[in-house]
Amino acid sequence: MLLNRDLSTIKKRRQGINVKVEQTVKAILDGVRENGDKAVKAYAEKFEGFVGYSFEIENTVKENADFVRILERAKMQIIEFHKNQIEKSWSMSKDNGVIMGQIVRPLKRVAVYVPGGTANYPSSVLMNVIPAKLAGVSEIIMLCPNPNDEVLMAAKVAGVDKIYKIGGAQAIAAVAYGTESIPKVDKIVGPGNIYVAMAKKQVYGEVDIDMIAGPSEVLVIADKTASPKYIAADLMSQAEHDKLARAILITTSEKILIDTEKELERQFSYLERREIIEDALRNYGAGIVVDNLEKAFELSNEIAPEHLEILTENPLGKLPKVKNAGSIFLGENTPESLGDYMSGANHVLPTGGTAKFCSSLGVYDFVKVSSYSYYPREILANFKDDVIKFAKLEGLDAHVNSIKVRFEVSSDD
């Protein structure tokens, strides 16, 4: 039996702060802030084997025509979805002369972190860069310690402006504070290892970040009509990411759960990452049978999964039952893997239950909004007494004064 029958065994997944990592990252951040390029180079040599004089590299990759075609197709899907997220400035003029509104402006410069080495994700390049381009970001920097050809091709297709061959906490520090050769950015997005995540957390406030991403997770809600073959395949598609990945099945059918277990055993036996999959399923996988779909959605909303698949009769009709989920996949022909690459919806998603209050990455993450207002004197006069009383109640006499002085009668009047 691969899947646990008790959710409590996986709810306690390790998420505590690693004090040693926290201290190591702080030292790296302090070093880069104080010594700039010299520190970045020293850490890059120590942790990544960096050799060279310049961190910036030219994107001279020899393109694979078929993969570029796939990238371009994915790009168009992502654009089609995300263009609906573009926010517009607005203004309103009232009959009394008051003018109010808000201005939406893009961030000037953004850094996209892309893991290198054993994990290269060209799909994440597209998902992080394209919304920023749609928002109108002026300059997009990619950080990657060892970009392979596929990542470089994705960077070219997505429209990355500069590429720096550095990674780890030192890369985050470099773009958070700026160095002699690496510019300071307004925001850092993209996944990374525990050192990258900790660095992003510690530089927040100096710059903005997208989120602190944890191990991947999927939750499948299935009724008796679902295919155990599909369920097993989709649970494993997330389990293969990481030994800490979480894969959960909540079903109204005991038979579906039993048959899914059989399919898991059959299918993972021929998969290359079966050792990772098996560890993830045994430690952080679960198979839960509930009395009805109402209970299934209640549990799902409490867990707030990164990915939620609904494999039931009339899956579209179940959508209103979902309150907390990063991205939702409806029906047996919409597997989560489609969302990772080609559906167009973003795959940079909240994990670890943060879907209760956090959203997927989008165009809105790369803009800032400023409000404005204009009041004629006679309208200010209409509000002045209430503003003064309000300010007095809060004990802010300078606020009171800023209103009163505008209505004082001077000797020159």
Side-chain angles (χ1 to χ4, degrees), residues 138 253 351:
S138 300
S253 168
T351 61

Side-chain angles (χ1 to χ4, degrees), residues 216-220 227-241 246-248 260 263-264 267 271 277 281 307-311 329 331-338 340:
S216 189
E217 53 197 35
V218 64
L219 190 153
V220 178
S227 165
K229 182 188 295 185
Y230 297 165
I231 296 170
D234 294 351
L235 292 175
M236 291 189 296
S237 73
Q238 287 308 292
E240 76 169 336
H241 276 296
R246 183 160 64 174
I248 301 170
T260 297
E263 278 296 324
L264 287 169
Q267 291 183 41
L271 297 174
I277 293 169
L281 292 177
H307 306 97
L308 171 63
E309 290 193 6
I310 301 177
L311 303 183
F329 303 84
E332 65 179 20
N333 297 311
T334 318
E336 186 280 325
S337 295
L338 179 69
D340 271 351

